[in-house]
């Protein structure tokens, strides 16, 4: 092999490896794609299209799970999956993922908050209250409290609408 051939081969190998995205960069990029999808989902639902919004949340869940294939310890992805399931009212899966998120990071109050809210949605009032109280104990901010109250009112309104529908049916 000539010096020129070795040099060209070296440049090609360098370019091959230098252009390769690192695992951390790839997981960060895919995670952020999931986050963007959750924002689109929220905007879509706010505009009144529940069905399309749910589909965006489901796409976000896929991106978060793809993130976990690259980095199984990505706490944000686990929380993102739990929150996305909560927002599409799949509380059983939300509970699973929030429990997993708490195992990974027991210091993140939002995971306890949404675990509690998910449990309340499933009728598990005592357990849900325990986790909401823990979240507020960890983060007693006005924002945490008002967000929790808003979610509880939404749960109550949903339950009321179900009751009103059943009453109409007789």
């Amino acid at each position: 092999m000539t010096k020129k051939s070795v040099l060209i081969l070296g440049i090609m190998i360098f370019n091959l490896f230098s252009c390769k995205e690192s695992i951390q960069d790839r997981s960060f990029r895919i995670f952020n794609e999931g986050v963007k999808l959750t924002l689109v989902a929220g905007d879509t639902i706010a505009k009144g299209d529940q069905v399309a919004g749910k589909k965006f949340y489901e796409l976000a869940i896929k991106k978060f799970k793809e993130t976990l294939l690259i980095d199984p310890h990505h706490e944000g992805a686990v929380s993102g999956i739990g929150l996305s399931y909560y927002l599409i009212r799949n509380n059983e899966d939300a509970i699973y993922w929030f429990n997993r998120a708490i195992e990974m990071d027991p210091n993140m109050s939002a995971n306890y908050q949404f675990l509690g809210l998910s449990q309340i949605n499933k009728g598990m009032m005592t357990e849900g209250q325990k986790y909401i109280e823990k979240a507020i104990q960890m983060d007693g901010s006005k924002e945490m409290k008002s967000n929790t109250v808003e979610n509880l009112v939404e749960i109550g309104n949903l339950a009321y609408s179900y009751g009103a529908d059943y009453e109409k049916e007789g």
Side-chain angles (χ1 to χ4, degrees):
M1 213 182 240
T2 67
K3 283 186 178 183
K4 186 175 180 180
S5 296
V6 170
L7 179 62
I8 291 172
L9 182 61
I11 291 171
M12 288 173 57
I13 291 172
F14 174 77
N15 285 337
L16 178 68
F17 287 105
S18 66
C19 292
K20 188 174 182 181
E21 189 176 30
S22 75
I23 290 173
Q24 184 178 8
D25 289 343
R26 185 163 184 244
S27 69
F28 181 76
R29 179 179 53 79
I30 293 170
F31 172 75
N32 283 329
E33 290 172 9
V35 170
K36 288 177 190 173
L37 287 165
T38 64
L39 296 174
V40 172
D43 288 343
T44 303
I45 289 171
K47 291 176 184 172
D49 192 346
Q50 303 290 325
V51 174
K54 182 178 179 181
K55 288 180 182 176
F56 282 115
Y57 279 124
E58 289 168 347
L59 290 171
I61 290 166
K62 288 180 182 177
K63 286 294 181 181
F64 293 140
K65 287 182 177 180
E66 184 179 344
T67 301
L68 291 176
L69 291 174
I70 299 163
D71 178 4
H73 305 289
H74 197 293
E75 297 163 3
V78 175
S79 295
I81 294 168
L83 185 59
S84 296
Y85 276 129
Y86 173 79
L87 292 169
I88 61 173
R89 302 195 190 288
N90 181 338
N91 292 295
E92 193 167 321
D93 285 336
I95 290 168
Y96 169 81
W97 286 97
F98 285 126
N99 275 316
R100 193 165 160 199
I102 289 167
E103 288 174 13
M104 292 175 81
D105 183 4
N107 299 313
M108 190 168 173
S109 59
N111 289 326
Y112 290 98
Q113 175 193 25
F114 284 100
L115 173 59
L117 291 167
S118 298
Q119 289 174 324
I120 288 171
N121 268 301
K122 294 273 299 169
M124 303 163 64
M125 302 303 180
T126 304
E127 297 92 334
Q129 181 181 0
K130 177 180 81 170
Y131 285 112
I132 287 173
E133 288 173 356
K134 182 165 181 74
I136 291 172
Q137 179 185 12
M138 294 171 73
D139 175 7
S141 69
K142 195 174 200 174
E143 182 181 359
M144 168 64 83
K145 291 175 183 175
S146 66
N147 181 272
T148 301
V149 168
E150 286 173 21
N151 276 277
L152 290 169
V153 167
E154 184 179 317
I155 292 167
N157 288 338
L158 182 63
Y160 178 79
S161 72
Y162 289 159
D165 289 344
Y166 293 143
E167 189 173 62
K168 286 178 190 174
E169 292 174 9

